Structures are given as C-alpha cells and as structure tokens.
C-alpha cells in the first residue's frame, strides 16, 4: 500500500467531490471512508487508475451518507432524540408499513432487506453488512423483492418474527453504524409491545433498552470507541437498565425462551456488574450456549469464544475461536484480543493491524490501529 500516493491524491479527490456539489465536511468524510476502503482493497487488487477509483468510491459513499441522513431527518420529525419511558402512543403508520413490507409472498430474509431499505432508511451497503453478505448480493436480493411485490396487493401483513428481525437490525445500525436509528427502533418496539402480548417482543425491547443504556459511555469526547470493560459505568442510564431488566424478567417467567430474550439476558448480566471484573462470565457462556442452540449463528459463536476466554482463560477462548471460520467479521479482532490476554503480544499486535484493515467503519479502524500501536510501543521499550 502506497500511503504517500493516497495522501497526495486526497486534496484533488476532495476538490472533485466539492465541485460536484458535496459540502466540504461531507466530502471530507466520504474521502476518508474511501481511503479506508483503499487500505483494505488495494493490497490484493490495486486499481489501474488510483485517482479515478478513489473518486468513484468516495462519491458513492457520499451519496449513501446523504440518503441515510435524509432518512434520519425525516424520522426526527416524528420522534425525540431519546426514547421516553413507558408505553408510546401510536402517532404514525410506520409500524404498519413494517408489517406490510414483511409480505407473505416474500421470504423472511427478502422481507427484512426490503423493509430496511424502503422504510428503515438504511443503505444497501449497511444492510449487506448486517447480513454478512457482499453489497452486490444484497442489491440483487432487494431488487428481486421489489419485483415480487410490485404486482401484489398489500392487504396481508407479514408475521411478527419478520418485523422483529427488521427492528433488531435497524436498532443495531442505529446503535453502532452510520445512521442514528436506535431511538426510532425503540419507539416502534414499544408500540409493538403495547399492541402484542408476545415474550419475544418484550425480549427485544429489553435488549434494546439495556444496550441503549450504555450508549453515553461507548465513546470518548474525541469520538473514539471505549470498550465495554473500560467504560465509565457511572454514565450508564440506570433507569433504562432497571426497565429493561424488569421487562426481561417478566418475559422469561413465561418459559417461552427465544433468541432476543437470551441476548437480553447477556446484556443484563453485563449491566448488573458494578465493575468489569465482577462480570459473571460463566453465566454469560451458558446464555451463549442457549443462543447457539436457538440460532446456529456464527456471530453468536464468535461472541461465545470471547466469553469462554473470560470465563476459562484466553487459551480456552482461542480453542473455541479455532473452530470458527476466520472470514467472519471481527474474527481477527477477537483473535488479537485473546492473544493479548494470553501474553503473546507480538501476534496480538500483528492481528490488531490486520483487523484494522478489515474494520467496517472508521471509528473501529482507528480503535484497532491504536491497540496495535499500544502493543508495539510497549514491546519497543
């Protein structure tokens, strides 16, 4: 990777985006995203025209961000920035649209993708990342879904499970991605919980509240990521935690366990610990075992490997990780963390550098780069 070339091209690429009509700050963000993409892609597939490649990728990212921002602004007209406690009145038809887009003529995966794109305001790239598939694959899936429903009447709404999946993915993107949709997802899930007596609806609402309660502590004043173990727990929203735990306990008492209740149980165990050292990792591993049984998800198994590393030691975590596909998103970052815990700082530093190159967003890229630099500096002393 020729970093000198990237730096030399940055001003001219930025100028081209501004001349095309992008505001300077938005153009600067898009160029930075394109540079991160170049760092990831070019070593294996260098472009013939470096400047043209950067302009094309940066402009696409600018358009994606502009569409996402427009969707966010539309929703801010309907909801305050933070979710209010208690039941939410039904003031719009957004939730109804979610059910209509989850049409019975679509497969569940296609219905989720279409709803996220048409109603949720997410870009094709963001949906592809949530599904762990290439962007082109997701674009085809959404196009097929549109063709499927183009000639049908939207008089048969979809099922609750599909709508829950959509709300879950919207919240995840709002919580950790480029678009702030977390509060909107909570608002709609409150509406659904008020309308439907279903333990998994309650489980999803509890999960959202418990994660959202930690939001203020997730980033430092400079915007950098703060890992869970290093967060200032005094900044967590105790009211949201209490509400989430109460909702979860009521749902679990019905003995109809589902994946959202199990995920919420993991979040509740984290919220219950006064310090990171007091976290009950043994119980968390048990809940991940339940989740794996319910979902057979590789992401669940990746998170379980981290929990095993905390409960039984980093070598046990690495053994659990070895059974998983190393192409999984964040697999390299988990491997770096476990190797660091095991005392293998040289391997950990190398893996943090590799993980930074694969990071899905700039904050995560910067965090992993700092981790690598920290270990390299420590070994140099």
């Amino acid at each position: 990777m020729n970093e000198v070339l990237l730096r030399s091209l940055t001003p001219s690429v930025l100028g081209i985006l501004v001349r095309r009509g992008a505001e300077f700050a938005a153009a600067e963000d898009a160029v930075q995203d394109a540079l991160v993409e170049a760092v990831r892609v070019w070593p294996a597939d260098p472009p013939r025209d470096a400047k043209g490649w950067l302009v094309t990728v940066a402009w696409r990212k600018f358009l994606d961000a502009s569409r996402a921002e427009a969707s966010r602004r539309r929703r801010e007209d309907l909801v305050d920035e933070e979710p209010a406690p208690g039941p939410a009145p039904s003031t719009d038809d957004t939730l109804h649209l979610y059910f209509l887009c989850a049409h019975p003529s679509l497969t569940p995966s296609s219905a989720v993708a279409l709803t996220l794109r048409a109603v949720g305001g997410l870009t094709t790239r963001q949906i592809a990342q949530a599904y762990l598939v290439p962007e082109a694959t997701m674009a085809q899936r959404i196009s097929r879904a549109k063709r499927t429903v183009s000639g049908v009447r939207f008089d048969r709404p979809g099922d609750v499970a599909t709508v829950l999946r959509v709300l879950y993915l919207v919240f995840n993107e709002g919580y950790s991605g480029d678009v702030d949709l977390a509060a909107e997802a909570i608002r709609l899930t409150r509406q659904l919980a008020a309308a439907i007596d279903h333990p998994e609806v309650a489980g999803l609402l509890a999960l959202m509240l418990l994660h959202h309660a930690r939001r203020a502590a997730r980033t430092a004043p400079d915007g950098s990521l703060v890992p869970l173990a290093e967060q200032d727990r005094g900044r967590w929203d105790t009211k949201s935690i209490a509400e989430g735990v109460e909702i979860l306990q009521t749902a679990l008492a019905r003995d109809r366990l589902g994946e959202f209740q199990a995920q919420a149980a993991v979040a509740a165990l984290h919220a219950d610990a006064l310090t990171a050292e007091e976290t009950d990792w043994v119980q968390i591993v048990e809940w991940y075992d339940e989740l794996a049984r319910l979902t057979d998800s590789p992401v669940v198994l990746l998170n379980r490997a981290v929990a095993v590393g905390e409960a039984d030691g980093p070598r046990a975590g690495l053994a659990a990780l070895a059974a998983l596909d190393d192409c999984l998103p964040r697999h390299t970052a988990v491997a770096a963390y476990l190797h660091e815990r095991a005392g293998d700082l040289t391997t950990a530093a190398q893996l943090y550098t590799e993980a930074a190159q694969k990071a899905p967003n700039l904050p995560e890229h910067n965090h992993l780069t700092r981790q690598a630099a920290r270990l390299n500096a420590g070994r140099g002393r």
Side-chain angles (χ1 to χ4, degrees):
M1 170 57 62
N2 192 331
E3 295 183 3
V4 175
L5 174 62
L6 284 177
R7 285 198 296 270
S8 68
L9 290 175
T10 297
S12 59
V13 174
L14 183 59
I16 290 172
L17 263 64
V18 171
R19 287 194 294 275
R20 286 185 178 184
E23 294 183 0
F24 183 83
E28 194 172 38
D29 289 343
V31 172
Q32 289 299 318
D33 287 346
L35 293 176
V36 171
E37 187 75 4
V39 169
R40 187 180 68 84
V41 172
W42 285 12
D45 185 20
R48 288 175 138 184
D49 178 5
K51 180 178 178 180
W53 189 96
L54 285 171
V55 169
T56 299
V57 173
W59 183 249
R60 187 190 71 208
K61 290 183 178 296
F62 165 73
L63 293 177
D64 284 348
S66 297
R67 286 193 291 264
E69 177 66 12
S71 296
R72 182 184 69 81
R73 287 176 178 173
R74 285 197 299 270
R75 275 159 180 77
E76 284 185 342
D77 292 335
L78 301 174
V79 64
D80 293 332
E81 181 177 348
E82 291 298 322
S90 180
T91 58
D92 62 82
D93 61 355
T94 306
L95 188 59
H96 182 60
L97 290 175
Y98 271 60
F99 273 93
L100 290 180
C101 283
H103 197 272
S105 63
L106 296 172
T107 63
S109 61
S110 295
V112 171
L114 177 63
T115 313
L116 290 172
R117 188 73 183 90
V119 187
L122 274 65
T123 65
T124 303
R125 174 177 58 85
Q126 291 164 336
I127 301 169
Q129 289 174 348
Y131 267 89
L132 310 180
V133 299
E135 184 175 349
T137 300
M138 183 53 64
Q140 293 175 354
R141 184 178 299 177
I142 293 172
S143 294
R144 285 197 299 269
K146 288 179 179 178
R147 288 195 299 270
T148 299
V149 300
S150 61
V152 303
R153 293 182 58 186
F154 283 87
D155 54 358
R156 290 187 299 149
D159 66 355
V160 174
T162 301
V163 174
L164 287 178
R165 179 62 52 189
V166 176
L167 289 168
Y168 174 68
L169 291 175
V170 169
F171 176 81
N172 279 346
E173 190 59 45
Y175 185 66
S176 61
D178 303 326
V179 189
D180 185 2
L181 291 172
E184 171 71 350
I186 291 175
R187 183 182 72 87
L188 292 173
T189 307
R190 284 192 187 281
Q191 286 189 7
L192 189 58
I196 299 176
D197 182 19
H198 192 297
E200 273 294 82
V201 176
L204 179 58
L205 179 56
L207 175 64
M208 289 178 175
L209 290 169
L210 289 164
H211 276 303
H212 203 69
R214 302 200 301 259
R215 186 169 190 173
R218 292 185 69 247
T219 54
D222 63 359
S224 59
L225 294 180
V226 180
L228 176 61
E230 300 172 19
Q231 288 176 15
D232 178 1
R233 300 184 178 219
R235 300 183 65 196
W236 289 0
D237 182 349
T238 55
K239 289 184 179 179
S240 290
I241 291 173
E243 183 185 5
V245 169
E246 182 180 359
I247 292 171
L248 173 62
Q249 289 175 339
T250 302
L252 290 176
R254 301 178 65 175
D255 199 23
R256 290 169 54 193
L257 183 64
E259 66 168 297
F260 294 125
Q261 294 169 74
Q263 286 192 54
V266 171
L269 286 168
H270 283 298
D272 188 52
L274 296 178
T275 65
E277 293 72 23
E278 295 177 66
T279 304
D280 190 341
W281 286 106
V282 173
Q283 271 205 71
I284 288 176
V285 171
E286 292 173 356
W287 277 112
Y288 275 127
D289 288 339
E290 289 288 347
L291 262 174
R293 180 181 61 81
L294 291 165
T295 68
D296 195 29
S297 165
V299 175
V300 168
L301 295 176
L302 186 66
N303 291 332
R304 180 185 180 277
V306 176
V308 169
E310 299 290 350
D312 301 326
R315 293 299 175 189
L318 286 168
L321 187 66
L324 306 179
D325 187 344
D326 60 9
C327 291
L328 275 172
R330 297 184 174 87
H331 183 286
T332 308
V334 170
Y337 173 75
L338 291 172
H339 275 287
E340 180 183 357
R341 287 280 317 283
D344 186 353
L345 303 188
T346 299
T347 300
Q350 293 171 347
L351 289 170
Y352 276 129
T353 300
E354 292 177 24
Q357 295 173 353
K358 302 174 184 177
N361 54 62
L362 191 57
E364 193 168 328
H365 167 84
N366 291 341
H367 171 72
L368 293 167
T369 300
R370 283 193 294 271
Q371 296 295 88
R374 173 179 57 81
L375 293 184
N376 286 326
R379 289 186 297 117
R381 287 198 294 267

